[in-house]
Amino acid sequence: MGTSVPARDTSGTGEVGSGGHPAPADGNHGTAEAGGNDGTGRTGRRGASVTPRPGHSPALSTGIPRAAARIGAFAVCQAAVIAGFGLLITGPAQGRWPMTAEDTAVEALEDARTAGLSTASTIASALGDTSTVVGLTLLTCLALVLVPRLPRWREAVFLAVGVSLQSLIFVLITASVDRTRPDVERMDDSPPTSSYTSGHTGAATALYAGLAVLVLSRTRAPWRKPLAALLLLLPLLVGLARLYRGMHHPTDVAGGLANGALSLLVVGRAVLPGHSWVGRPPADAMDIAVAAAEAQPAPARKQTTVIVNPTVTDEATREQLRLVLAQHGYRDTRFLDTTAEDTGGGQTAEALRTGAELIVVCGGDGTVRAVADALAGTGVPLVLVPSGTGNLLARNLDLPLGPAEALAAGLTGEPRALDLGRIEGDGFPAVHFTAMAGAGLDAAMLEETSDRAKSVLGWPAYVLAGAKGLRAPRMRLTVRLDGGPELRRTARMVLVANVGTVQAGAAPVPAAKPDDGLLDLALFDPRGAGGWLRTAGVLLRAKRRGTAGPEVTGTGTGDGGPVEFHTFRRAELAFSRPQPREIDGDPVGPGRRLTAEVRPGALTVMLPARER
């Protein structure tokens, strides 16, 4: 299941020093262990005062300003070199071989023109058009962010900045080097820019060679090498097409190839993992983090276990969590992974059996619910590290959504008792929930949303799936609150809420609070497009007021109210026919009954003092 996380070698040497910490790299001997300076402005483990800010360490710093400065400096040098070569071929080298042979080469291509080759050159040249390059870059970057379960931000930035940098340097060069186009019949309209360098070739190099880099470095499929070779061939075809069409000299194309390739090289060194100027931890990053924690006087730390959903938490995030834990004095912390069969409850129970006094959960709403269900009533505090699609409890508690920041906030926070909802129904046993449960449209929407759609689109996938549920007939139900009279209602959606806000800032149950000792019931029964507009208006007014007061609450179907709110300690809902149901975003199957009650203060969560 899970074991204590072993020390990792972050130095790249493969050696691990005594005490389980990475051995310093050759250039850093005597820093971490002897108290010397580590190159970051801090001192080593045995030497000196270290006064970092809580939750920070050199290994967690993004280094974006430094990387941006380096990109800028290299870009200036790149522009100067390519522009200098252009001034050379238009100045002292003009009229000398091999410059004199360029016109001959372009004229030979003009003489070789045929209808078929001209059509092929049109297609190849279009691959380097501004609209094509911008469109493909945008689509690829969106795919890198939306398609993988864990967005590939660095790869998207690499491609977008590489193409953009090439374009910026191209503009600077054409403004510096005035070169006329070849004296042949040109097949395209001549743009007002200089012939040097070839903008089509440079843009194609930045885009297609950039894609080749990503294919080779980020995939392991057997077709990756042939695909990369094809992608690398495309800029050459674009350059040849520009020569064929009489738009550039050979040295213009060579300058474009160099501009695109150097732009990728500079940006790749700055942002791609593995050889990155951005956020590359020092060789003794773990020693630095541990030294920072040891230098701060603190009482003995609680025994801690981290419950991790591996499908939404990558290795880089784990390393960040380990560093933050070490910096705050939590060493030898156990990391336990959830599985498809056990989404967090079993791991939490195991942690409690082995004496865990603090639980950290890193996952989405389903993982948080499973862990909270196992912790209910134990008094063992929980630290929330949001890593899923919704993260509703963390959002409603205004916690940081970055994993490292959220963990640091929890470790330095104070315990606060929050309510849990306890819900049961026909077909599933009683369980606890932290955010919301429901029946009808929202549950059908969750059932219709595939994991693939969620990984591609994120939370908007729920909205698209919800459109299908609008065609379903209304449900008929009876509601009994706190043993009161039975209420008969019709509705499209029923929500039982412990919190009020969902994704994108929407607040379907505006008055719900996780620490008021109550749960909230919302019955949505809009009729037609106008009814949904009225519902949206009611919710917006309630959100601004911070309450679901009397003017928001309808009196049932008789008055045509689109939404009706109640608060309760125990609610019994019975449906006239089976309805889809969900608990904290996880479908639990159709059924005809739900019984919910509040458990005040059943969950203890570590929150920053400002949240009190």
Side-chain angles (χ1 to χ4, degrees), residues 460-553:
Y462 296 129
V463 178
L464 298 177
K468 299 180 180 179
L470 294 176
R471 296 190 296 269
R474 283 180 174 77
M475 68 177 88
R476 295 185 178 273
L477 71 153
T478 60
V479 180
R480 187 185 300 273
L481 303 176
D482 296 329
E486 189 176 81
L487 307 176
R488 297 183 180 274
R489 297 289 187 266
T490 63
R492 286 200 176 277
M493 181 169 68
V494 174
L495 288 180
V496 178
N498 191 38
V499 300
T501 302
V502 295
Q503 295 94 330
V509 194
K513 305 293 182 184
D515 59 355
D516 58 1
L518 297 169
L519 294 177
D520 288 64
L521 175 67
L523 304 170
F524 293 84
D525 193 27
R527 299 175 184 272
W532 284 107
L533 290 175
R534 288 180 59 199
T535 300
V538 167
L539 295 178
L540 288 173
R541 290 195 302 273
K543 184 178 180 181
R544 286 195 297 267
R545 291 167 59 122
T547 178
E551 72 173 76
V552 180
T553 304

Side-chain angles (χ1 to χ4, degrees), residues 49-435:
S49 58
V50 183
T51 55
R53 291 176 293 162
H56 291 74
S57 80
L60 298 184
S61 173
T62 63
I64 291 177
R66 180 181 62 180
R70 289 190 177 186
I71 290 176
F74 277 93
V76 170
C77 296
Q78 175 182 331
V81 169
I82 298 177
F85 183 72
L87 294 174
L88 177 65
I89 62 178
T90 57
Q94 189 176 19
R96 297 176 181 272
W97 191 91
M99 300 300 114
T100 53
E102 289 197 296
D103 290 336
T104 302
V106 175
E107 289 169 0
L109 289 173
E110 180 186 26
D111 294 338
R113 289 174 184 172
T114 65
L117 289 176
S118 296
T119 300
S121 71
T122 300
I123 297 172
S125 180
L127 294 175
D129 284 346
T130 299
S131 57
T132 302
V133 171
V134 171
L136 288 178
T137 302
L138 179 60
L139 289 175
T140 304
C141 291
L142 288 175
L144 288 169
V145 172
L146 297 177
V147 172
R149 183 176 291 274
L150 295 170
R152 295 187 175 273
W153 289 105
R154 286 181 182 264
E155 287 79 357
V157 170
F158 161 70
L159 194 64
V161 176
V163 172
S164 301
L165 181 62
Q166 176 278 144
S167 299
L168 175 61
I169 294 177
F170 164 75
V171 172
L172 294 176
I173 293 171
T174 56
S176 304
V177 181
D178 185 15
R179 190 181 197 188
T180 58
R181 297 186 182 274
D183 188 19
V184 296
E185 181 184 354
R186 292 187 281 276
M187 301 180 69
D188 298 324
D189 294 333
S190 298
T193 56
S194 169
S195 178
Y196 182 87
T197 62
S198 171
H200 280 66
T201 307
T205 302
L207 173 59
Y208 302 115
L211 290 175
V213 169
L214 296 182
V215 167
L216 288 174
S217 62
R218 300 297 176 257
T219 63
R220 294 293 178 266
W223 43 260
R224 65 189 184 100
K225 290 184 178 180
L227 177 58
L230 176 61
L231 290 169
L232 291 173
L233 179 63
L234 294 181
L236 300 177
L237 293 178
V238 171
L240 181 60
R242 301 304 286 169
L243 294 175
Y244 176 89
R245 300 179 73 79
M247 303 305 297
H248 292 286
H249 307 87
T251 48
D252 301 336
V253 171
L257 290 169
N259 185 26
L262 289 174
S263 297
L264 289 179
L265 177 63
V266 170
V267 177
R269 290 289 298 173
V271 302
L272 286 181
H275 44 82
S276 170
W277 294 331
V278 179
R280 188 176 186 179
D284 54 352
M286 184 59 74
D287 276 337
I288 295 172
V290 172
E294 290 178 343
Q296 301 180 51
R301 298 301 187 184
K302 296 179 178 180
Q303 182 177 334
T304 304
T305 299
V306 182
I307 311 297
V308 179
N309 183 340
T311 64
V312 294
T313 307
D314 59 9
E315 189 61 30
T317 300
R318 288 175 185 261
E319 290 299 303
Q320 287 189 343
L321 299 184
R322 291 176 66 247
L323 288 172
V324 173
L325 286 163
Q327 190 178 36
H328 288 81
Y330 295 89
R331 303 175 189 87
D332 299 323
T333 300
R334 301 180 70 202
F335 278 63
L336 300 179
D337 284 357
T338 65
T339 65
E341 296 75 23
D342 191 342
T343 58
Q347 293 83 354
T348 305
E350 178 186 341
L352 295 176
R353 284 195 302 271
T354 56
E357 302 168 282
L358 177 69
I359 300 293
V360 178
V361 57
C362 183
D365 292 323
T367 309
V368 171
R369 189 210 64 76
V371 173
D373 186 47
L375 286 178
T378 64
V380 175
L382 177 68
V383 175
L384 297 173
V385 179
S387 297
T389 304
N391 306 311
L392 296 189
L393 184 59
R395 292 178 190 274
N396 279 270
L397 296 173
D398 292 326
L399 289 174
L401 296 182
E405 294 80 4
L407 178 58
L411 295 178
T412 58
E414 301 175 0
R416 173 174 160 187
L418 300 181
D419 304 334
L420 286 176
R422 184 179 183 275
I423 191 165
E424 61 180 320
D426 49 322
F428 68 90
V431 293
H432 292 89
F433 66 93
T434 63

